[in-house]
Amino acid sequence: MEMRRLGRTKMIVSAIGMGGIPIQRVSESQASAVIETAVSYGINFIDTARAYSDSEAKIGRVLVRHREKLIIATKSMARNREDMKKEIERSLQDLKTDYIDLYQVHNVKDESSLEQVLAPDGALVALKEARELGKVRHIGITGHIPAVLVKAVRTGEFETVQFPFNPIETAGIEELLPLASQMDAGTIAMKPFAGGALKNKVLTLKFILEKGFATVIPGMDTPQQVEENILATEGRLLTEEDNEVLREEVSALEGNLCRRCEYCLPCSQGIDIPLVFLLDGYWTRYGLQEWAVEGYQPLRVKASECADCGECETRCPYGLPIREMLREAAGHLEKR
Ligand code: SF4
Ligand code: SF4
């Protein structure tokens, strides 16, 4: 396994890390088998979150056997000091450890969230206090909007930055990735397969690693997926033919893949358009129909409530036929 330095944290992480979303949906023993397989192949970086239901707890069961050699990253959506303090304690408890290597502020999606995090009673204060106490070793940030993350990285408060990156979602390449390199913030590529849309997995992971990320964290819930993903760090660099394969795959997806950039919002009816498409992706591409329908039910405004005003489509930089896509999503997620 190729190892890389995670920016100024100076932690040495496996180029292929493990994303902790999918193990939510498998049994405890299956989750343990996947994590043990990952460890046996030299994967030492595992990323999870408070928001991933029992993912931290499942990782914690294996972590007790390998604490010294594993680097655990987790994250919370808490935005103020008190809430973040509680979240850190819960993470320590669920992960069954007395320290967390990297604690990230999760999904900072706009400037007002970033301001809350950085405020005098914001989440960052709790993270710094936990770092002083040795409960957290390093502090990072995650999100989907490069412009917000650029502002965050520039503050110098975050030692790592995690954002979606893959052959079809390359928005971070112009400013965020070079800035992170300049400020020596460790880079973590999430959603490498664009929510299951990209099928050439090994080529996709190689593409991401060749852009200079410290680690990329595909979600894995079977030992076979671990074995497939680690092939990306072996063998040759991408050839011109490989790049052509990726370009063709991207152009086939381009007209109907939501990148969750949120430029289409706000919807005049209040539909959370990117979230509907994310859930529809789980329904159509992940074969997780029940899980997707369950996640869709709490949505205050449903896709079928689109009033057809078309405003969102004028704002989507990818020219997606949002209204048509919402009708399809409603057909999948609302039909029972
Ligand atoms: S077309 Fe539908 S989804 Fe788009 S802004 Fe109008 S109501 Fe919202
Ligand atoms: S529908 Fe378009 S604008 Fe809205 S989040 Fe998706 S890609 Fe971005």
Side-chain angles (χ1 to χ4, degrees):
M1 171 61 66
E2 183 188 340
M3 307 300 282
R4 295 183 173 191
R5 177 178 169 275
L6 188 61
R8 62 182 188 271
T9 70
K10 297 191 181 129
M11 293 190 290
I12 303 299
V13 295
S14 48
I16 302 293
M18 180 175 179
I21 292 182
I23 56 164
Q24 291 174 91
R25 62 189 181 221
V26 298
S27 69
E28 273 175 29
S29 63
Q30 286 169 308
S32 297
V34 179
I35 301 166
E36 289 286 3
T37 306
V39 174
S40 75
Y41 280 105
I43 289 177
N44 77 338
F45 184 76
I46 303 181
D47 181 78
T48 178
R50 292 292 317 138
Y52 303 162
S53 63
D54 61 1
S55 174
E56 282 185 338
K58 282 172 172 158
I59 292 165
R61 278 181 206 108
V62 179
L63 186 61
V64 290
R65 294 196 286 277
H66 303 284
R67 186 64 194 98
E68 287 310 309
K69 61 175 154 175
L70 285 182
I71 293 174
I72 294 295
T74 190
K75 49 194 175 294
S76 161
M77 308 254 202
R79 296 293 183 251
N80 65 51
R81 176 173 175 259
E82 268 322 291
D83 291 348
M84 185 56 94
K85 207 174 157 187
K86 287 184 203 145
E87 290 280 78
I88 295 167
E89 291 304 322
R90 283 211 205 103
S91 291
L92 288 166
Q93 198 182 320
D94 282 4
L95 286 162
K96 299 174 190 56
T97 180
D98 54 5
Y99 70 94
I100 289 159
D101 302 277
L102 174 64
Y103 212 105
Q104 304 153 104
V105 190
H106 192 177
N107 196 19
V108 177
K109 54 200 298 189
D110 50 35
E111 288 188 20
S112 81
S113 303
L114 180 60
E115 279 165 20
Q116 285 171 5
V117 168
L118 298 172
D121 61 346
L124 183 63
V125 175
L127 287 167
K128 285 179 162 180
E129 287 167 351
R131 190 169 57 187
E132 284 288 305
L133 294 168
K135 294 180 176 183
V136 163
R137 293 200 165 162
H138 301 281
I139 298 170
I141 189 165
T142 81
H144 289 81
I145 316 288
V148 176
L149 296 175
V150 161
K151 286 213 157 97
V153 171
R154 280 213 179 102
T155 66
E157 298 283 10
F158 303 100
E159 296 162 90
T160 64
V161 59
Q162 177 179 154
F163 55 99
F165 193 89
N166 57 60
I168 198 165
E169 293 177 280
T170 56
I173 205 158
E174 294 91 16
E175 199 180 356
L176 182 52
L177 207 50
L179 176 72
S181 154
Q182 189 193 322
M183 297 198 58
D184 203 14
T187 45
I188 302 162
M190 64 157 143
K191 312 238 165 36
F193 306 134
L198 294 163
K199 303 296 180 204
N200 287 295
K201 295 189 173 174
V202 170
L203 296 187
T204 295
L205 293 174
K206 278 181 185 277
F207 172 91
I208 297 165
L209 290 173
E210 287 183 14
K211 297 290 181 276
F213 281 85
T215 185
V216 51
I217 50 168
M220 315 180 202
D221 62 8
T222 65
Q224 292 73 19
Q225 286 169 3
V226 177
E227 283 159 11
E228 185 182 4
N229 289 332
I230 59 153
L231 293 176
T233 62
E234 293 168 7
R236 58 179 171 71
L237 297 174
L238 286 183
T239 63
E240 190 39 46
E241 288 76 39
D242 295 333
N243 279 314
E244 188 50 35
V245 169
L246 291 174
R247 278 195 290 272
E248 277 171 22
E249 191 175 25
V250 166
S251 73
L253 288 168
E254 222 143 31
N256 65 1
L257 188 81
C258 173
R259 279 77 155 184
R260 299 176 299 275
C261 65
E262 302 194 354
Y263 292 131
C264 52
L265 299 178
C267 156
S268 57
Q269 297 296 104
I271 299 170
D272 188 338
I273 300 167
L275 182 55
V276 171
F277 293 155
L278 178 72
L279 293 168
D280 194 40
Y282 285 126
W283 197 97
T284 52
R285 294 191 293 268
Y286 266 53
L288 285 170
Q289 281 87 353
E290 269 179 43
W291 198 57
V293 169
E294 228 172 80
Y296 183 75
Q297 270 159 2
L299 264 57
R300 196 176 49 82
V301 188
K302 300 290 191 264
S304 56
E305 291 174 66
C306 169
D308 220 19
C309 70
E311 282 169 22
C312 53
E313 291 181 9
T314 65
R315 295 191 291 261
C316 176
Y318 304 101
L320 300 189
I322 296 176
R323 288 172 287 180
E324 190 188 317
M325 288 168 66
L326 285 175
R327 278 192 287 277
E328 278 175 28
H332 300 147
L333 300 166
E334 294 177 29
K335 68 183 171 193
R336 1 185 138 190

